[in-house]
Short mmCIF file of all heavy atoms in Angstrom, two decimals:
data_model
loop_
_atom_site.label_atom_id
_atom_site.label_comp_id
_atom_site.label_asym_id
_atom_site.label_seq_id
_atom_site.Cartn_x
_atom_site.Cartn_y
_atom_site.Cartn_z
N LEU A 1 0.83 -1.20 0.02
CA LEU A 1 0.00 0.01 0.00
C LEU A 1 0.87 1.26 0.01
O LEU A 1 2.10 1.17 0.00
CB LEU A 1 -0.95 -0.02 1.20
CG LEU A 1 -2.02 -1.12 1.06
CD1 LEU A 1 -1.50 -2.41 1.65
CD2 LEU A 1 -3.28 -0.73 1.65
N SER A 2 0.26 2.39 0.00
CA SER A 2 1.01 3.64 -0.09
C SER A 2 1.91 3.86 1.10
O SER A 2 2.90 4.60 1.00
CB SER A 2 0.08 4.84 -0.26
OG SER A 2 -0.73 4.98 0.89
N ASP A 3 1.59 3.27 2.26
CA ASP A 3 2.37 3.54 3.44
C ASP A 3 2.76 2.29 4.29
O ASP A 3 3.35 2.41 5.34
CB ASP A 3 1.69 4.57 4.37
CG ASP A 3 0.33 4.08 4.85
OD1 ASP A 3 -0.13 2.98 4.45
OD2 ASP A 3 -0.30 4.82 5.66
N HIS A 4 2.39 1.13 3.82
CA HIS A 4 2.75 -0.08 4.56
C HIS A 4 2.63 -1.33 3.68
O HIS A 4 2.04 -1.28 2.57
CB HIS A 4 1.99 -0.24 5.83
CG HIS A 4 0.53 -0.52 5.66
ND1 HIS A 4 -0.39 0.41 5.30
CD2 HIS A 4 -0.17 -1.66 5.86
CE1 HIS A 4 -1.62 -0.12 5.26
NE2 HIS A 4 -1.49 -1.38 5.59
N VAL A 5 3.14 -2.42 4.19
CA VAL A 5 3.10 -3.74 3.51
C VAL A 5 2.56 -4.78 4.45
O VAL A 5 2.87 -4.78 5.66
CB VAL A 5 4.55 -4.16 3.11
CG1 VAL A 5 4.58 -5.63 2.68
CG2 VAL A 5 5.10 -3.30 2.02
N HIS A 6 1.73 -5.65 3.94
CA HIS A 6 1.28 -6.88 4.63
C HIS A 6 1.79 -8.05 3.78
O HIS A 6 1.63 -8.03 2.57
CB HIS A 6 -0.24 -6.95 4.72
CG HIS A 6 -0.87 -5.98 5.64
ND1 HIS A 6 -0.93 -6.16 7.01
CD2 HIS A 6 -1.48 -4.78 5.40
CE1 HIS A 6 -1.55 -5.16 7.55
NE2 HIS A 6 -1.89 -4.30 6.59
N ILE A 7 2.33 -9.03 4.45
CA ILE A 7 2.81 -10.22 3.70
C ILE A 7 2.67 -11.48 4.55
O ILE A 7 2.86 -11.40 5.78
CB ILE A 7 4.24 -9.99 3.19
CG1 ILE A 7 4.64 -11.01 2.12
CG2 ILE A 7 5.24 -9.94 4.35
CD1 ILE A 7 5.86 -10.61 1.29
N VAL A 8 2.25 -12.53 3.94
CA VAL A 8 2.18 -13.84 4.61
C VAL A 8 3.18 -14.78 3.94
O VAL A 8 3.00 -15.08 2.77
CB VAL A 8 0.74 -14.44 4.53
CG1 VAL A 8 0.66 -15.80 5.23
CG2 VAL A 8 -0.29 -13.48 5.13
N ILE A 9 4.15 -15.18 4.72
CA ILE A 9 5.19 -16.09 4.18
C ILE A 9 5.29 -17.30 5.06
O ILE A 9 5.29 -17.21 6.28
CB ILE A 9 6.57 -15.36 4.13
CG1 ILE A 9 6.52 -14.20 3.15
CG2 ILE A 9 7.70 -16.32 3.73
CD1 ILE A 9 7.83 -13.43 3.02
N ARG A 10 5.40 -18.44 4.40
CA ARG A 10 5.52 -19.71 5.11
C ARG A 10 6.78 -19.75 5.94
O ARG A 10 7.82 -19.13 5.57
CB ARG A 10 5.53 -20.86 4.05
CG ARG A 10 5.57 -22.22 4.68
CD ARG A 10 5.35 -23.28 3.64
NE ARG A 10 6.58 -23.58 2.93
CZ ARG A 10 6.64 -24.40 1.88
NH1 ARG A 10 5.53 -24.93 1.39
NH2 ARG A 10 7.78 -24.60 1.28
N LYS A 11 6.78 -20.54 7.00
CA LYS A 11 7.97 -20.75 7.82
C LYS A 11 9.13 -21.16 6.92
O LYS A 11 8.96 -21.94 5.96
CB LYS A 11 7.68 -21.82 8.86
CG LYS A 11 8.80 -22.07 9.78
CD LYS A 11 8.42 -23.14 10.83
CE LYS A 11 9.61 -23.47 11.70
NZ LYS A 11 9.27 -24.47 12.67
N HIS A 12 10.31 -20.69 7.27
CA HIS A 12 11.50 -20.88 6.39
C HIS A 12 12.71 -21.01 7.30
O HIS A 12 12.67 -20.66 8.49
CB HIS A 12 11.60 -19.67 5.48
CG HIS A 12 12.61 -19.77 4.41
ND1 HIS A 12 13.88 -19.37 4.56
CD2 HIS A 12 12.51 -20.28 3.13
CE1 HIS A 12 14.57 -19.55 3.46
NE2 HIS A 12 13.76 -20.11 2.58
N ARG A 13 13.83 -21.45 6.72
CA ARG A 13 15.08 -21.53 7.47
C ARG A 13 15.50 -20.16 7.94
O ARG A 13 16.17 -19.99 8.99
CB ARG A 13 16.18 -22.22 6.70
CG ARG A 13 16.70 -21.39 5.51
CD ARG A 13 17.77 -22.09 4.73
NE ARG A 13 18.05 -21.38 3.52
CZ ARG A 13 17.43 -21.54 2.37
NH1 ARG A 13 16.48 -22.47 2.25
NH2 ARG A 13 17.74 -20.81 1.31
N ASP A 14 15.19 -19.09 7.20
CA ASP A 14 15.45 -17.70 7.66
C ASP A 14 14.45 -17.30 8.73
O ASP A 14 13.26 -17.62 8.57
CB ASP A 14 15.34 -16.72 6.49
CG ASP A 14 16.42 -16.90 5.45
OD1 ASP A 14 17.42 -17.62 5.71
OD2 ASP A 14 16.28 -16.31 4.36
N ARG A 15 14.90 -16.65 9.75
CA ARG A 15 14.01 -16.13 10.78
C ARG A 15 13.13 -15.00 10.18
O ARG A 15 13.50 -14.36 9.20
CB ARG A 15 14.79 -15.59 11.95
CG ARG A 15 15.58 -16.69 12.67
CD ARG A 15 16.47 -16.10 13.78
NE ARG A 15 15.79 -15.18 14.63
CZ ARG A 15 15.16 -15.53 15.81
NH1 ARG A 15 15.18 -16.78 16.21
NH2 ARG A 15 14.56 -14.60 16.53
N ALA A 16 12.00 -14.79 10.82
CA ALA A 16 11.05 -13.75 10.34
C ALA A 16 11.78 -12.36 10.23
O ALA A 16 11.60 -11.66 9.25
CB ALA A 16 9.86 -13.62 11.26
N GLU A 17 12.58 -12.04 11.21
CA GLU A 17 13.29 -10.77 11.19
C GLU A 17 14.24 -10.65 9.98
O GLU A 17 14.35 -9.58 9.39
CB GLU A 17 14.09 -10.58 12.49
CG GLU A 17 13.27 -10.49 13.75
CD GLU A 17 12.89 -11.91 14.33
OE1 GLU A 17 13.27 -12.95 13.75
OE2 GLU A 17 12.24 -11.93 15.39
N SER A 18 14.88 -11.76 9.65
CA SER A 18 15.75 -11.78 8.50
C SER A 18 14.97 -11.65 7.19
O SER A 18 15.46 -10.96 6.24
CB SER A 18 16.58 -13.05 8.46
OG SER A 18 17.41 -13.16 9.60
N MET A 19 13.84 -12.28 7.10
CA MET A 19 13.02 -12.15 5.90
C MET A 19 12.54 -10.72 5.70
O MET A 19 12.64 -10.18 4.61
CB MET A 19 11.83 -13.11 5.94
CG MET A 19 12.20 -14.56 5.80
SD MET A 19 10.80 -15.65 5.61
CE MET A 19 10.49 -16.09 7.30
N ILE A 20 12.09 -10.09 6.79
CA ILE A 20 11.66 -8.71 6.73
C ILE A 20 12.80 -7.82 6.28
O ILE A 20 12.66 -6.99 5.35
CB ILE A 20 11.09 -8.23 8.08
CG1 ILE A 20 9.73 -8.95 8.37
CG2 ILE A 20 10.87 -6.73 8.10
CD1 ILE A 20 9.24 -8.77 9.82
N ALA A 21 13.96 -7.97 6.92
CA ALA A 21 15.13 -7.14 6.57
C ALA A 21 15.53 -7.34 5.12
O ALA A 21 15.87 -6.38 4.43
CB ALA A 21 16.29 -7.49 7.52
N ARG A 22 15.52 -8.57 4.64
CA ARG A 22 15.90 -8.86 3.26
C ARG A 22 14.94 -8.20 2.27
O ARG A 22 15.35 -7.62 1.26
CB ARG A 22 15.92 -10.36 3.03
CG ARG A 22 16.56 -10.78 1.70
CD ARG A 22 16.75 -12.29 1.64
NE ARG A 22 17.52 -12.85 2.71
CZ ARG A 22 18.85 -12.86 2.79
NH1 ARG A 22 19.56 -12.34 1.80
NH2 ARG A 22 19.48 -13.40 3.80
N LEU A 23 13.64 -8.30 2.50
CA LEU A 23 12.66 -7.69 1.63
C LEU A 23 12.72 -6.16 1.68
O LEU A 23 12.62 -5.47 0.65
CB LEU A 23 11.25 -8.18 2.00
CG LEU A 23 10.99 -9.65 1.72
CD1 LEU A 23 9.71 -10.12 2.39
CD2 LEU A 23 10.98 -9.97 0.24
N GLN A 24 12.92 -5.63 2.91
CA GLN A 24 13.07 -4.18 3.01
C GLN A 24 14.29 -3.67 2.22
O GLN A 24 14.25 -2.69 1.49
CB GLN A 24 13.17 -3.76 4.47
CG GLN A 24 11.85 -3.86 5.21
CD GLN A 24 11.99 -3.42 6.67
OE1 GLN A 24 13.08 -3.40 7.23
NE2 GLN A 24 10.86 -3.08 7.25
N GLU A 25 15.45 -4.37 2.41
CA GLU A 25 16.66 -3.91 1.76
C GLU A 25 16.58 -4.07 0.24
O GLU A 25 17.03 -3.17 -0.53
CB GLU A 25 17.89 -4.68 2.32
CG GLU A 25 19.22 -4.24 1.73
CD GLU A 25 19.62 -2.83 2.10
OE1 GLU A 25 18.90 -2.09 2.81
OE2 GLU A 25 20.66 -2.40 1.60
N ALA A 26 16.02 -5.19 -0.22
CA ALA A 26 15.87 -5.40 -1.66
C ALA A 26 15.05 -4.30 -2.32
O ALA A 26 15.38 -3.77 -3.37
CB ALA A 26 15.31 -6.78 -1.95
N SER A 27 13.92 -3.98 -1.65
CA SER A 27 13.03 -2.95 -2.24
C SER A 27 13.68 -1.57 -2.13
O SER A 27 13.54 -0.73 -3.04
CB SER A 27 11.66 -3.02 -1.57
OG SER A 27 11.72 -2.86 -0.18
N ARG A 28 14.37 -1.26 -1.01
CA ARG A 28 15.04 0.02 -0.90
C ARG A 28 16.07 0.22 -2.00
O ARG A 28 16.10 1.26 -2.67
CB ARG A 28 15.70 0.16 0.48
CG ARG A 28 16.33 1.52 0.72
CD ARG A 28 17.24 1.55 1.95
NE ARG A 28 18.44 0.74 1.80
CZ ARG A 28 19.49 1.10 1.07
NH1 ARG A 28 19.50 2.27 0.42
NH2 ARG A 28 20.57 0.33 1.01
N LEU A 29 16.89 -0.80 -2.22
CA LEU A 29 17.88 -0.74 -3.27
C LEU A 29 17.28 -0.62 -4.65
O LEU A 29 17.76 0.19 -5.49
CB LEU A 29 18.79 -1.98 -3.23
CG LEU A 29 19.71 -2.07 -1.99
CD1 LEU A 29 20.42 -3.40 -1.94
CD2 LEU A 29 20.71 -0.93 -2.01
N ARG A 30 16.18 -1.29 -4.94
CA ARG A 30 15.56 -1.22 -6.25
C ARG A 30 14.94 0.13 -6.45
O ARG A 30 15.10 0.72 -7.54
CB ARG A 30 14.49 -2.31 -6.34
CG ARG A 30 13.72 -2.38 -7.64
CD ARG A 30 14.48 -2.96 -8.81
NE ARG A 30 14.93 -4.33 -8.60
CZ ARG A 30 14.29 -5.41 -8.96
NH1 ARG A 30 13.16 -5.33 -9.61
NH2 ARG A 30 14.76 -6.60 -8.68
N LEU A 31 14.26 0.68 -5.45
CA LEU A 31 13.69 2.01 -5.57
C LEU A 31 14.77 3.03 -5.87
O LEU A 31 14.64 3.91 -6.71
CB LEU A 31 12.92 2.41 -4.31
CG LEU A 31 11.57 1.71 -4.11
CD1 LEU A 31 11.09 1.91 -2.67
CD2 LEU A 31 10.55 2.19 -5.12
N SER A 32 15.88 2.95 -5.18
CA SER A 32 17.00 3.87 -5.36
C SER A 32 17.61 3.68 -6.76
O SER A 32 17.87 4.66 -7.42
CB SER A 32 18.03 3.64 -4.25
OG SER A 32 19.15 4.47 -4.50
N SER A 33 17.88 2.47 -7.14
CA SER A 33 18.55 2.24 -8.46
C SER A 33 17.67 2.68 -9.65
O SER A 33 18.21 3.05 -10.68
CB SER A 33 18.94 0.77 -8.62
OG SER A 33 17.79 -0.04 -8.80
N GLU A 34 16.37 2.69 -9.43
CA GLU A 34 15.44 3.12 -10.54
C GLU A 34 15.11 4.63 -10.41
O GLU A 34 14.24 5.08 -11.12
CB GLU A 34 14.23 2.24 -10.55
CG GLU A 34 14.59 0.80 -10.94
CD GLU A 34 13.37 -0.09 -11.24
OE1 GLU A 34 12.29 0.46 -11.44
OE2 GLU A 34 13.61 -1.30 -11.31
N GLY A 35 15.76 5.28 -9.48
CA GLY A 35 15.55 6.72 -9.31
C GLY A 35 14.23 7.09 -8.71
O GLY A 35 13.74 8.22 -8.84
N LEU A 36 13.59 6.18 -8.01
CA LEU A 36 12.29 6.39 -7.39
C LEU A 36 12.38 6.77 -5.92
O LEU A 36 11.36 7.02 -5.26
CB LEU A 36 11.40 5.18 -7.60
CG LEU A 36 11.08 4.84 -9.06
CD1 LEU A 36 10.31 3.54 -9.15
CD2 LEU A 36 10.27 5.99 -9.71
N SER A 37 13.63 6.78 -5.38
CA SER A 37 13.85 7.14 -4.01
C SER A 37 15.31 7.60 -3.88
O SER A 37 16.20 6.97 -4.44
CB SER A 37 13.60 5.96 -3.07
OG SER A 37 13.88 6.31 -1.76
N PRO A 38 15.58 8.70 -3.21
CA PRO A 38 16.96 9.13 -2.99
C PRO A 38 17.76 8.02 -2.25
O PRO A 38 17.27 7.38 -1.36
CB PRO A 38 16.86 10.38 -2.14
CG PRO A 38 15.47 10.82 -2.28
CD PRO A 38 14.64 9.60 -2.53
N PRO A 39 19.00 7.85 -2.66
CA PRO A 39 19.80 6.73 -2.06
C PRO A 39 20.00 6.86 -0.55
O PRO A 39 20.10 5.84 0.13
CB PRO A 39 21.15 6.83 -2.80
CG PRO A 39 21.07 7.95 -3.72
CD PRO A 39 19.73 8.55 -3.69
N ASN A 40 20.04 8.07 -0.01
CA ASN A 40 20.28 8.22 1.42
C ASN A 40 18.98 8.36 2.24
O ASN A 40 19.06 8.50 3.45
CB ASN A 40 21.15 9.45 1.66
CG ASN A 40 20.45 10.74 1.29
OD1 ASN A 40 19.53 10.76 0.52
ND2 ASN A 40 20.96 11.83 1.84
N HIS A 41 17.83 8.25 1.59
CA HIS A 41 16.55 8.39 2.30
C HIS A 41 16.05 7.04 2.79
O HIS A 41 15.97 6.10 2.02
CB HIS A 41 15.55 8.99 1.34
CG HIS A 41 14.27 9.45 2.02
ND1 HIS A 41 13.47 8.62 2.74
CD2 HIS A 41 13.67 10.68 2.04
CE1 HIS A 41 12.43 9.32 3.20
NE2 HIS A 41 12.53 10.55 2.79
#
């Protein structure tokens, strides 16, 4: 959504905190690389 994410992911070898961090970092990097978010924001 415009201000948050909801996601349901099956149990995995990665802990929930690691999955959240991985998804957050991947999307932050993609937004920045496509010029849709400043790199330091």
Side-chain angles (χ1 to χ4, degrees):
L1 291 90
S2 65
D3 62 356
H4 68 285
V5 167
H6 289 278
I7 194 163
V8 179
I9 296 181
R10 183 170 82 187
K11 183 178 175 181
H12 189 269
R13 69 182 171 271
D14 293 347
R15 295 175 48 92
E17 297 85 358
S18 297
M19 289 189 267
I20 291 168
R22 190 171 305 276
L23 293 168
Q24 287 181 340
E25 183 65 1
S27 55
R28 184 191 69 76
L29 290 172
R30 180 75 59 94
L31 286 165
S32 177
S33 72
E34 295 192 14
L36 297 173
S37 177
N40 66 339
H41 192 302

